[in-house]
Amino acid sequence: MNASITEAGAGLLASVLVLVALAVTGPDAHASAPAYERGVTVGEWGPTAYAPAATRRTMRRLARRDGVDTVTLFVVWEQQNARSTRIGPHGRAAPVSRIVGAIKAARRAGMRVTLRPYLDRLDGGWRGRIAPSSIAAWFRSYQRFVLRFARVAQTQGVDTLVVGSEMVSLSGESARWRRLVARVRGRFHRKVTYQANWDEADSINWWGALDMISISAYFPLDRSPLPRVGDLVAGWRQYRGQGSRVMDWVDRVRQLHERYRKQVIFGEIGYRAISTAAAEPWNIGASGAPSTRTQANAYEAAFRVWYRVPWFRGFNWWYVPPQPALVKGLQGSDHRPSAAALRVLRRWHRRSR
């Protein structure tokens, strides 16, 4: 065979292979590649939640000023009490049309969207402590809720769907959750996860059915008032509570990653703007003097510890309401990032990983 013909054939083959590679690694493949989320939760409750103009302004500001590339939106349905088996859209549910509008506003601003349907209780109790009188009936009702928003998520191009949040008392029902995940995947064809409470994540044995490990990362870090950044960084690895046991939260999360070979994301993390914010970050009723410095220090410590961990997928900070007046005076409204905390967030978002 003539050498020049062989070279030409080789060149043609190489060109074809390049074109095939480009097709495989085009926009869709790039979108499904491992990504880091510089995220916040954007959320409100009730029939006037996610007002269109305010939501559009919020999304543009987060993307342009704060370097946010992912937002989590939540929709709340409720059950009457711990024993209830029926879940429905009561007074705290945002209208579906407002949820759809918020998804579109985020996507127009160039951000990815996570949709998180989650459950509250009308009696004020915590979702993690429910004990339905019939677990089978409860799951049937809960499935209708999640599948309804799986369809919304698929239609609107949502990137990730969360099938449950902090369902501590029921997350051991592994077979039922696996069936729910399978049914969700029949309607929603992108990433699916479950958001575990910080003290629940390593007891769940069905992470393998999901695309990533999501944690509400309210790990206690320091019990003293006004902790410094260095104290909080240390608290991630050497937290000593009221007993003698020292907890290494970083190693605990790392072991979870290694067991399942999944990326880990903090689907919810936040600190109140009070002096004791790092003692019980989840506790919206804890007492403490107002302190935006403590909140900002806790943000800084979290970024220092986690930002460049290769298998860590990112943060979704809790939370930014498009209409601050809707949450004014509510318990936990000081979980919103203060101006000082937002400066920390912006500075880290500008840094490469």
Side-chain angles (χ1 to χ4, degrees):
M1 186 179 290
N2 186 290
S4 62
I5 294 175
T6 302
E7 291 170 3
L12 178 60
L13 178 60
S15 297
V16 171
L17 291 174
V18 168
L19 290 172
V20 171
L22 287 172
V24 172
T25 59
D28 291 340
H30 177 72
S32 63
Y36 182 85
E37 298 187 13
R38 296 169 174 85
V40 301
T41 297
V42 175
E44 293 172 334
W45 294 261
T48 60
Y50 297 115
T55 301
R56 287 192 296 270
R57 287 194 299 270
T58 298
M59 299 300 185
R60 288 195 296 265
R61 183 180 72 249
L62 290 170
R64 296 173 185 176
R65 187 194 70 182
D66 299 324
V68 172
D69 61 21
T70 307
V71 293
T72 295
L73 304 172
F74 59 78
V75 56
V76 181
W77 279 20
E78 294 166 298
Q79 65 182 63
Q80 185 64 45
N81 54 47
R83 301 289 288 163
S84 301
T85 61
R86 297 180 63 183
I87 299 159
H90 297 280
R92 289 163 61 84
V96 174
S97 61
R98 292 284 184 93
I99 297 291
V100 169
I103 294 169
K104 290 179 177 178
R107 287 172 56 80
R108 288 193 198 104
M111 295 187 286
R112 294 180 291 247
V113 177
T114 295
L115 184 61
R116 183 157 71 102
Y118 80 87
L119 179 67
D120 266 345
R121 286 168 49 177
L122 289 167
D123 67 355
W126 183 44
R127 70 188 69 85
R129 295 195 184 110
I130 63 173
S133 57
S134 167
I135 291 177
W138 184 90
F139 267 97
R140 285 194 296 272
S141 183
Y142 186 77
Q143 178 179 283
R144 287 193 290 271
F145 169 41
V146 174
L147 291 183
R148 175 175 183 179
F149 286 96
R151 287 188 285 270
V152 172
Q154 179 64 26
T155 302
Q156 299 303 321
V158 164
D159 299 272
T160 302
L161 182 71
V162 182
V163 298
S165 295
E166 303 165 356
M167 304 299 298
V168 178
S169 61
L170 291 177
S171 60
E173 297 285 337
S174 305
R176 296 182 190 276
W177 285 105
R178 288 179 185 275
R179 285 195 293 271
L180 174 59
V181 170
R183 288 166 182 152
V184 165
R185 290 195 187 280
R187 293 161 174 76
F188 179 74
H189 309 310
R190 299 180 185 89
K191 291 190 180 298
V192 178
T193 191
Y194 168 84
Q195 188 169 303
N197 203 48
W198 65 274
D199 58 354
E200 169 199 19
D202 49 8
S203 66
I204 290 172
N205 62 16
W206 44 282
W207 288 120
L210 301 163
D211 296 303
M212 69 189 82
I213 295 167
S214 180
I215 301 174
S216 287
Y218 293 113
F219 298 96
L221 302 177
D222 193 296
R223 301 188 70 82
S224 62
L226 301 172
R228 297 168 299 181
V229 172
D231 299 326
L232 296 167
V233 169
W236 278 102
R237 286 199 174 275
Q238 299 178 0
Y239 173 71
R240 189 184 299 275
Q242 293 177 328
S244 59
R245 188 180 180 189
V246 176
M247 298 300 299
D248 185 337
W249 304 126
V250 175
D251 187 61
R252 188 166 166 177
V253 175
R254 178 190 60 79
Q255 289 183 41
L256 194 59
H257 155 70
E258 291 181 350
R259 192 182 315 156
Y260 292 97
R261 309 309 303 172
K262 305 276 186 186
Q263 283 188 300
V264 177
I265 187 167
F266 290 167
E268 186 173 319
I269 182 172
Y271 302 91
R272 294 173 59 202
I274 61 173
S275 60
T276 57
E280 295 181 338
W282 66 88
N283 190 346
I284 62 174
S287 60
S291 174
T292 59
R293 177 179 292 182
T294 299
Q295 185 189 58
N297 285 353
Y299 272 58
E300 177 70 26
F303 277 112
R304 288 190 189 183
V305 171
W306 291 104
Y307 193 68
R308 292 193 173 94
V309 173
W311 44 264
F312 182 64
R313 190 179 172 90
F315 301 94
N316 276 280
W317 293 95
W318 180 265
Y319 69 109
V320 174
Q323 304 168 95
L326 286 185
V327 301
K328 185 177 181 181
L330 295 180
Q331 261 198 335
S333 63
D334 52 359
H335 255 123
R336 293 176 294 161
S338 61
L342 286 172
R343 284 194 293 271
V344 173
L345 185 145
R346 283 196 294 272
R347 177 162 43 79
W348 279 95
H349 283 179
R350 295 189 188 107
R351 297 183 181 184
S352 64
R353 294 185 74 232

